[in-house]
Amino acid sequence: MKRVPVAGLIAAAIIFALDQLFKWIIIGPLALDRLAGDPIDLLPIFRVRFVPNMGVSLGLLHASSDTTRWLLVAMTGAIAAGVSIWMWRERNRQDQVALGLVLGGAIGNILDRARFGYVVDWADLHFGAWSPFLVFNLADAAITIGVLVLLVRALLVRDKPAPRGSTENGNA
């Protein structure tokens, strides 16, 4: 019997909820999506500002029509479904959490695109005039961190092999 990936599901739910909360603050109480919504400098290297992202990562696959918008929703939904299936099959808890980060972020961005036609990006990390990243959101950060954890674990971390004479489920 398969175990429910509780840690991954909790990570996904937390990321989704926080992502939607921050986006609501940006377009709700702060009203940064309106013309008068000037950027807010929180730190010398970090400002909050509203940027509607019509594409996917790095502004690729720009959705300029309803057809391309819904194609992006379908494509990212299929990817999220694949991540969800992987998470349910994954036995390693750290990988489940990393997949939960990716899943929660993906669902947050999918909801934005379905509701608004774009993804609400708001985090602007900069060093003077140099901005090493495009404006992003919590969902984007969670997806990136989740993928990096999966890559590091796949490339650098070797799980200990099961003792001889045992099988995956612990029965000899």
Side-chain angles (χ1 to χ4, degrees):
M1 177 150 181
K2 291 194 181 215
R3 291 188 299 174
V4 175
V6 174
L9 292 172
I10 290 171
I14 289 170
I15 291 300
F16 174 77
L18 287 175
D19 175 62
Q20 292 300 301
L21 174 66
F22 284 123
K23 290 172 179 175
W24 172 78
I25 291 169
I26 297 302
I27 62 176
L30 294 179
L32 292 179
D33 59 332
R34 294 179 182 68
L35 294 176
D38 293 328
I40 301 168
D41 289 321
L42 294 180
L43 297 169
I45 63 167
F46 185 76
R47 87 174 41 103
V48 174
R49 67 184 179 115
F50 171 77
V51 175
N53 183 353
M54 302 296 284
V56 292
S57 298
L58 304 173
L60 301 172
L61 301 177
H62 189 78
S64 55
S65 70
D66 275 347
T67 301
T68 54
R69 166 192 176 186
W70 291 109
L71 284 173
L72 279 179
V73 169
M75 180 185 76
T76 53
I79 293 168
V83 167
S84 179
I85 291 167
W86 181 5
M87 186 174 68
W88 278 85
R89 292 180 177 175
E90 182 60 56
R91 299 180 77 80
N92 183 287
R93 188 179 192 140
Q94 290 89 0
D95 289 349
Q96 289 175 357
V97 171
L99 290 164
L101 295 176
V102 173
L103 182 62
I107 294 171
N109 284 344
I110 290 167
L111 181 61
D112 281 8
R113 191 171 311 285
R115 287 176 46 202
F116 307 122
Y118 55 83
V119 173
V120 176
D121 284 343
W122 55 268
D124 185 7
L125 181 65
H126 62 89
F127 303 95
W130 181 57
S131 293
F133 308 105
L134 296 174
V135 177
F136 59 98
N137 60 44
L138 182 67
D140 299 335
I143 291 167
T144 301
I145 291 167
V147 168
L148 288 174
V149 167
L150 291 169
L151 283 172
V152 166
R153 287 191 43 76
L155 297 174
L156 302 177
V157 177
R158 301 287 184 246
D159 291 330
K160 294 179 183 176
R164 294 189 88 204
S166 70
T167 60
E168 273 188 271
N169 62 9
N171 297 327

